[in-house]
């Protein structure tokens, strides 16, 4: 097989110097001089890594025009709406807490408020079955306990 001179010179150069460490821990374990590595380091620009200077004008605009950045309010929870300034498009809100702390009740009320405003809501839960969730949401929507036998009396809930 034939080799290019470039390939040979690359292999010779890489054999004379050990590969750089993957992280600071590996550098310390292998005895590298951390200060020397930092001094030799160069910035690797990437379109998804931003500096404050890249965002400065937008941040100032958001601070000086807060009403333009308010999200969809939750009418039945005005204190919550005041705190988070509503739910904004493109943002994901994650609610966590121990079993029985009221997450499902809170999210049910929030979901009903948003649905009444035409906002799509997506649920994901590891604790509650879909049928139980629908039962709880229907109760919240009716603002009362569901009458026993409603489905049998009316034939269908659809």
């Amino acid at each position: 097989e034939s080799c290019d001179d470039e390939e040979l010179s690359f292999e010779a150069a890489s054999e004379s110097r050990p590969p750089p460490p993957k992280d600071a821990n590996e550098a310390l374990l292998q005895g590298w001089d951390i200060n020397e590595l930092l001094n030799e380091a160069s910035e690797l620009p990437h379109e998804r890594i931003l500096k404050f200077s890249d965002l400065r004008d937008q941040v100032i605009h958001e601070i000086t025009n807060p009403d333009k950045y308010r999200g969809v309010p939750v009418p039945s929870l005005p204190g919550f709406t005041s705190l988070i300034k509503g739910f904004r498009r493109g943002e994901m809100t994650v609610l966590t807490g121990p079993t029985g702390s009221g997450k499902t009740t809170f999210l049910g009320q929030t979901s009903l408020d948003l649905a009444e405003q035409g906002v799509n809501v997506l649920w994901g839960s590891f604790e509650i079955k879909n049928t139980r969730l629908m039962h709880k949401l229907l109760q919240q929507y009716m603002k009362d306990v569901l009458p026993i036998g409603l489905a049998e009396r009316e034939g269908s809930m659809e």
Side-chain angles (χ1 to χ4, degrees):
E1 294 181 28
S2 65
C3 294
D4 291 305
D5 289 336
E6 289 178 25
E7 287 182 84
L8 290 174
S9 64
F10 176 74
E11 287 177 18
S14 64
E15 288 176 15
S16 65
R17 184 172 182 177
K22 69 176 185 288
D23 56 28
N25 186 49
E26 188 174 283
L28 290 170
L29 291 173
Q30 294 177 359
W32 287 78
D33 181 347
I34 299 292
N35 287 325
E36 183 181 333
L37 288 172
L38 290 172
N39 289 334
E40 291 177 3
S42 61
E43 184 178 325
L44 294 175
H46 189 277
E47 65 185 44
R48 305 286 274 169
I49 299 175
L50 304 174
K51 298 177 190 171
F52 180 75
S53 59
D54 299 326
L55 302 171
R56 184 180 185 279
D57 292 340
Q58 185 177 348
V59 170
I60 290 172
H61 191 268
E62 287 187 24
I63 291 170
T64 57
N65 299 285
D67 290 340
K68 291 185 178 183
Y69 296 93
R70 292 190 189 282
V72 178
V74 182
S76 66
L77 302 168
F80 179 70
T81 297
S82 176
L83 178 68
I84 69 162
K85 309 300 182 237
F87 289 98
R88 288 168 295 282
R89 179 177 286 282
E91 293 183 3
M92 179 172 73
T93 302
V94 177
L95 183 68
T96 64
T99 301
S101 63
K103 298 179 303 292
T104 302
T105 302
F106 172 78
L107 288 174
Q109 185 59 49
T110 302
S111 296
L112 290 171
D113 278 359
L114 294 174
E116 287 175 350
Q117 297 176 73
V119 176
N120 294 325
V121 177
L122 173 68
W123 272 71
S125 175
F126 296 106
E127 291 184 8
I128 189 167
K129 292 181 178 181
N130 290 338
T131 53
R132 178 78 180 126
L133 175 61
M134 291 307 300
H135 181 201
K136 289 179 76 78
L137 288 173
L138 286 169
Q139 282 184 316
Q140 280 184 285
Y141 181 72
M142 292 182 66
K143 297 178 178 39
D144 198 359
V145 176
L146 290 176
I148 297 174
L150 177 66
E152 290 82 21
R153 284 199 310 265
E154 296 187 9
S156 173
M157 292 188 69
E158 292 187 41

